[in-house]
Amino acid sequence: MSTDSESEHGTQPLYPFTQEELVAAMSEGYDELMQFVLTPEFKELHKELYQLSKEERPGFVRGVIMNEDELEKRDIVVPEELLIQRSSFGDRRPTLFCVKKYLPEKFHNAWENVNITFDNSHDREVPRDDRAWRRPLKIDVQSSAMENGVSLEELSAVSEDGFDPGIPYGSVREKPELDR
Amino acid sequence: MQEAADELIEALASEEFRKRLQKVKDAPQEEKLEEASRQLNPESLREVGVPFPEGARVSSRFFEESSGEMLELGNVPGETNVLNELNKSRPGFLDEIRHENPGVYRKIVRPDVHPQFDEGPMIDETVGWWFCGGGWGFCAGGGS
């Protein structure tokens, strides 16, 4: 493996760490995440979530998984170095929540965090082309769409006409011309 | 699981992948998404030797905090705003806590009771490794 001191960005080294150090930090992060999500209590919560219909799951995430009191009732204590968060992707993958760990700050110019992300069920192929780089939906818009059985791709079709639900309401953006 | 994580890390930590990330970061703010679609698509990454796993994806992403983390920055009449005071007396302290100890940070900002502070769009390059039928996967994220 190469050292990053060999890679120059202007006159400064591109990264203040070696590739081996980054690999070690990411591995340690994933180990911690796996230890947490593989506890019997979390696995039971996971089972409880996925036994619900896909329309009911976003509400369960809001009301239980994002709620420390509800987690405590299930004997789940989130380690202080981990975060449970919701998120949304530009490729419109219907995601429910993730468990995230920040890497030490010196790695942030490359990777800021590692996380394990839990998706809702979906039938459609998630695009890997330019459509993966659309602005993600607002979290509450995504959540509401899943609860009402609205395809997230249908929401993106609205944005193709100039209204992007991923940015504040009322804003309009031009569709970028992408090189192919 | 370990094997999948290791395979993903090998791709994400590769020097070529990180060079591509840097090009996205260096792009003007309004061109970042467009630049990301050029630099970070799986075919293009594989062409330059990144061992990008089959089935992995790269996509923009908002975490809840970046699309509206709830921080109280205004003043409540008659009360001291702890966050404003902390920012005045220890600039950068909240950011340090956020990265070093997210659990404590979460308790400080108390997102359940504060009005929304919209930070604006943030690009977050994320790669996910997905298990068919499992509904979950490993990801990594970086902001720009």
Side-chain angles (χ1 to χ4, degrees):
Chain A
M1 287 185 177
S2 64
T3 60
D4 290 272
S5 58
E6 294 165 359
S7 305
E8 296 293 320
H9 183 239
T11 56
Q12 299 295 317
L14 190 53
Y15 296 109
F17 52 81
T18 65
Q19 188 168 353
E20 290 88 344
E21 287 172 326
L22 177 60
V23 168
M26 295 183 92
S27 296
E28 190 180 322
Y30 283 128
D31 285 347
E32 284 184 50
L33 292 167
M34 282 190 281
Q35 275 178 24
F36 175 63
V37 304
L38 292 176
T39 55
E41 294 82 8
F42 191 90
K43 285 163 78 173
E44 196 56 39
L45 177 76
H46 179 268
K47 188 175 162 188
E48 198 178 349
L49 170 66
Y50 284 95
Q51 279 175 342
L52 298 172
S53 71
K54 63 182 181 183
E55 289 80 14
E56 291 171 314
R57 290 172 195 161
F60 185 84
V61 171
R62 267 198 318 273
V64 177
I65 294 178
M66 307 294 295
N67 182 328
E68 286 183 15
D69 293 335
E70 289 293 331
L71 292 179
E72 199 174 322
K73 282 183 198 169
R74 291 160 175 81
D75 296 323
I76 294 172
V77 178
V78 183
E80 292 224 323
E81 64 275 15
L82 302 186
L83 282 173
I84 294 182
Q85 286 182 303
R86 295 186 300 170
S87 67
S88 64
F89 287 91
D91 62 14
R92 300 292 187 269
R93 172 191 325 158
T95 186
L96 290 166
F97 73 101
C98 68
V99 186
K100 172 173 165 185
K101 177 177 171 58
Y102 283 104
L103 298 176
E105 193 150 10
K106 73 172 181 175
F107 299 110
H108 286 191
N109 199 29
W111 293 103
E112 183 193 65
N113 67 80
V114 291
N115 59 85
I116 293 179
T117 299
F118 296 83
D119 281 354
N120 209 347
S121 311
H122 56 102
D123 302 324
R124 296 189 183 189
E125 180 77 10
V126 176
R128 290 188 172 83
D129 55 18
D130 296 343
R131 289 172 293 166
W133 293 99
R134 289 169 289 188
R135 287 184 184 278
L137 300 171
K138 299 283 269 188
I139 305 293
D140 288 336
V141 170
Q142 173 179 262
S143 181
S144 177
M146 289 193 285
E147 284 176 310
N148 289 287
V150 174
S151 160
L152 303 185
E153 273 298 328
E154 285 172 28
L155 289 179
S156 75
V158 175
S159 71
E160 297 298 328
D161 294 329
F163 175 70
D164 189 339
I167 57 177
Y169 292 108
S171 301
V172 176
R173 71 180 174 93
E174 297 292 326
K175 181 186 173 192
E177 293 299 323
L178 302 177
D179 289 343
R180 288 174 181 271
Chain B
M1 282 176 78
Q2 190 63 55
E3 191 181 336
D6 290 346
E7 196 173 358
L8 184 63
I9 290 169
E10 187 186 352
L12 301 183
S14 70
E15 191 171 346
E16 192 56 50
F17 198 118
R18 286 178 287 135
K19 281 182 184 170
R20 293 291 183 101
L21 285 180
Q22 193 61 48
K23 287 181 183 172
V24 177
K25 288 171 192 290
D26 289 344
Q29 188 62 36
E30 65 278 11
E31 295 172 17
K32 284 186 190 297
L33 288 174
E34 188 177 345
E35 187 67 16
S37 76
R38 270 197 291 267
Q39 299 292 341
L40 301 177
N41 70 73
E43 291 75 22
S44 151
L45 289 167
R46 287 193 189 102
E47 280 170 14
V48 294
V50 175
F52 199 77
E54 276 302 322
R57 306 177 193 286
V58 196
S59 171
S60 52
R61 182 177 192 177
F62 282 143
F63 283 105
E64 193 155 28
E65 62 183 19
S66 58
S67 59
E69 184 163 22
M70 299 161 190
L71 289 174
E72 184 181 18
L73 297 176
N75 286 316
V76 178
E79 290 183 21
T80 301
N81 185 304
V82 175
L83 298 180
N84 284 344
E85 292 305 312
L86 269 176
N87 278 330
K88 269 191 251 169
S89 61
R90 295 278 306 275
F93 175 72
L94 281 172
D95 282 337
E96 281 174 34
I97 288 287
R98 174 176 169 240
H99 291 303
E100 290 170 8
N101 201 329
V104 170
Y105 174 79
R106 193 169 51 215
K107 285 174 184 159
I108 292 173
V109 302
R110 293 186 300 155
D112 53 333
V113 296
H114 290 130
Q116 184 168 322
F117 169 65
D118 199 335
E119 212 177 282
M122 172 179 136
I123 185 174
D124 199 345
E125 311 89 7
T126 298
V127 177
W129 172 266
W130 302 100
F131 295 92
C132 294
W136 62 277
F138 294 107
C139 296
S144 175

